[in-house]
Amino acid sequence: TRGFDAGDCDTEHNECYTDSRGADYRGQVHTTENGSSCMVWAHHGKQDAKSDAWEVHSPQLGGHNHCRNPNPKKRSRPWCFVRDGSGWEYCMVPPP
């Protein structure tokens, strides 16, 4: 089976997605609505291991800082952890 980032934008996709909650978003946006830079997903656990640990350890998230929504039941659109370690924010991803 293909993982969460299988065929991601680094290899073949662009900013297009169809799911209203961004579950299928594979674009390259890496900035939040507040202008913060996104953290590489794998690095989040080093700053705050107690929150959203399932996302950090998900084998489907690659070694990148692109916005994603790995659990659309929990969050309404693509987001990322922010570099300053203050938590997470929604991203500046245009609607589908």
Side-chain angles (χ1 to χ4, degrees):
T1 63
R2 295 174 65 131
F4 187 79
D5 267 353
D8 71 10
C9 60
D10 289 328
T11 56
E12 63 189 65
H13 288 268
N14 58 26
E15 298 303 315
C16 288
Y17 65 106
T18 58
D19 183 80
S20 64
R21 298 181 75 82
D24 61 342
Y25 176 72
R26 299 295 180 273
Q28 296 185 27
V29 171
H30 58 274
T31 306
T32 70
E33 292 177 332
N34 294 326
S36 298
S37 294
C38 294
M39 176 182 285
V40 172
W41 286 90
H43 294 175
H44 170 68
K46 295 174 184 171
Q47 289 195 359
D48 184 9
K50 68 182 178 294
S51 68
D52 296 312
W54 66 269
E55 285 125 343
V56 175
H57 301 295
S58 174
Q60 295 85 7
L61 288 172
H64 60 74
N65 68 338
H66 303 148
C67 301
R68 297 289 186 260
N69 191 5
N71 187 352
K73 292 179 182 178
K74 184 174 181 180
R75 300 211 173 104
S76 63
R77 52 201 165 100
W79 60 278
C80 70
F81 293 109
V82 293
R83 285 191 176 180
D84 66 8
S86 64
W88 65 274
E89 295 178 9
Y90 284 115
C91 293
M92 298 243 344
V93 175

